[in-house]
Amino acid sequence: MGLGTKLAIFGRRLKSASLRRMGRNIQAIHQETGKNRLFLFCDMIWCTLHYGVGYLDYHVFGFACNRGPNRKTFMTMNHNVALARMVNDAACYPLLQDKFQFLQRWEEFLGRRWLDLRQASPEDLAQFCRECGAVFIKPHADFGGKGVARLEPGPETDFEELHRSCVESGRYLVEEAIVQHPEVSALCPQSVNTLRVVTLWAEGAAKFVYALLRVGSGEGNVDNISSGGMYTWVGDDGILDFPAFCDRTGLYYDSHPVTGAVFRGYCLPFFREAVALCCRAAQVEPRLGYVGWDVAITPDGPVLVEGNHLPGYDMAQNARFHPDGKGLLPTFEALLGRPVPKA
């Protein structure tokens, strides 16, 4: 990538960046490391031009204290987009983006029932809720936990009104609530705490790359990071060796701030089965070679929640989870057997 292109990318990022937020990041890094704020600002600019790393990634990746060759081992946003373009067929994206298409294509991995209110009547909704008990109502084409609500309809529920309200708000999908494993629920019972398992199609097979555990904040029914949830790295043995990080607070937690559940040393039930499930799910559509699968753990084993065609690259490279100071780019390139270009 030439200097002109780098400058153009930098210009676009600077135009869209929040200078106030950038300043808050610099202040936070200064407090964490004691490094001079002007130095941090200049180093951020250098990293944007030289590595394609923005100021948020600079903080998450721990670049203030991680210099030299290690910086080249980190996958950037540009790498992530290029990898998706390399191994994913964009024509297949609706299979993951539209929840109804996803539910139909990967039905054998779901372990739950669902209803499409574009076709179902209020009577169908009432019968579904009586059979399922608790349900989740969702938009079928949104992400990040937006518009998701958990309901436990009772004898006095007006299903005509509920149906009308859901349809008018575009929340056409009603899913049977997942009953999660009690050991996973103990982390945060208000939300379904899901695994993000990333697979990569290489050499004719789906390969496991990494896994993160996402845990709700205790303030809502979702575990999404954008909704205040937290995340941590899951070792290949299913054991948590690190604290959980929350983007909203910018803090690491050795134990959950609401439930008190301790993260370090926690062993996730059915972890190996969850990885195997995702590798089988990846075989359903090999044209989607790079997918982040969201998996819930039930008392009977793992089930798929959804799939994402552009898995996040940043959370998995949180500096706290990699004491050796190295990112995941070499891991991806070793699995692929070739370099990952920058978009």
Side-chain angles (χ1 to χ4, degrees):
M1 186 182 296
L3 179 60
T5 303
K6 290 182 179 180
L7 289 172
I9 292 174
F10 173 70
R12 290 197 297 270
R13 289 185 175 175
L14 187 62
K15 184 178 180 180
S16 62
S18 165
L19 293 179
R20 182 176 299 176
R21 190 173 183 186
M22 183 178 183
R24 287 200 299 266
N25 270 265
I26 290 174
Q27 179 62 23
I29 299 170
H30 166 70
Q31 292 176 342
E32 293 168 8
T33 66
K35 292 187 178 294
N36 179 273
R37 285 181 285 261
L38 178 59
F39 164 80
L40 292 172
F41 174 78
C42 294
D43 197 37
M44 281 183 180
I45 302 301
W46 163 253
C47 287
T48 299
L49 292 171
H50 194 67
Y51 301 108
V53 171
Y55 65 88
L56 294 175
D57 289 344
Y58 180 95
H59 191 185
V60 172
F61 296 170
F63 270 23
C65 299
N66 192 2
R67 306 177 61 77
N70 276 357
R71 288 180 168 184
K72 295 181 180 180
T73 68
F74 281 78
M75 175 174 276
T76 67
M77 178 176 63
N78 293 334
H79 286 118
N80 203 46
V81 171
L83 176 59
R85 289 175 178 171
M86 181 191 304
V87 300
N88 285 344
D89 184 343
C92 296
Y93 285 171
L95 293 174
L96 300 178
Q97 294 169 329
D98 185 320
K99 289 182 173 61
F100 288 121
Q101 292 193 48
F102 173 82
L103 293 169
Q104 291 169 353
R105 191 63 175 270
W106 281 276
E107 186 170 9
E108 65 179 289
F109 303 96
L110 303 178
R112 64 190 180 280
R113 292 170 288 178
W114 55 277
L115 193 68
D116 184 350
L117 294 184
R118 296 174 301 182
Q119 302 170 0
S121 67
E123 292 75 20
D124 295 329
L125 176 60
Q127 180 64 28
F128 183 82
C129 290
R130 281 193 289 269
E131 293 175 355
C132 296
V135 299
F136 278 92
I137 296 174
K138 306 176 180 180
H140 72 285
D142 216 329
F143 60 93
K146 297 176 184 176
V148 176
R150 188 180 191 275
L151 297 176
E152 293 188 43
E156 298 181 0
T157 300
D158 185 339
F159 287 99
E160 290 278 353
E161 172 60 23
L162 178 59
H163 187 281
R164 182 195 62 77
S165 174
C166 290
V167 170
E168 288 184 354
S169 63
R171 295 185 294 176
Y172 301 117
L173 174 59
V174 184
E175 285 188 315
E176 180 180 10
I178 294 172
V179 178
Q180 68 181 341
H181 195 289
E183 292 180 17
V184 182
S185 186
L187 295 171
C188 181
Q190 290 86 352
S191 60
V192 176
N193 308 304
T194 58
L195 275 170
R196 167 60 63 87
V197 178
V198 172
T199 59
L200 182 67
W201 192 268
E203 298 179 349
K207 310 287 187 179
F208 167 66
V209 186
Y210 67 82
L212 298 170
L213 177 64
R214 302 182 302 184
V215 180
S217 66
E219 299 176 355
N221 297 126
V222 296
D223 64 350
N224 303 80
I225 307 308
S226 58
S227 300
M230 55 196 73
Y231 65 91
T232 188
W233 181 268
V234 183
D236 291 344
D237 53 4
I239 296 176
L240 308 185
D241 294 320
F242 303 99
F245 179 73
C246 177
D247 274 345
R248 179 173 291 180
T249 65
L251 300 174
Y252 292 90
Y253 296 88
D254 288 316
S255 59
H256 194 282
V258 175
T259 67
V262 176
F263 293 115
R264 291 175 184 265
Y266 173 88
C267 184
L268 194 71
F270 292 114
F271 177 70
R272 289 185 174 85
E273 290 83 351
V275 171
L277 177 83
C278 293
C279 288
R280 292 199 307 274
Q283 295 174 27
V284 171
E285 183 47 82
R287 290 178 296 173
L288 290 168
Y290 178 38
V291 178
W293 306 97
D294 291 343
V295 183
I297 306 299
T298 77
D300 299 317
V303 296
L304 282 189
V305 177
E306 63 183 24
N308 302 270
H309 72 271
L310 189 62
Y313 64 94
D314 50 351
M315 296 189 299
Q317 298 182 111
N318 188 302
R320 187 67 69 89
F321 307 152
H322 302 281
D324 64 356
K326 295 181 180 179
L328 292 177
L329 185 58
T331 299
F332 279 95
E333 293 184 333
L335 289 172
L336 278 173
R338 51 179 165 158
V340 176
K342 290 187 178 180

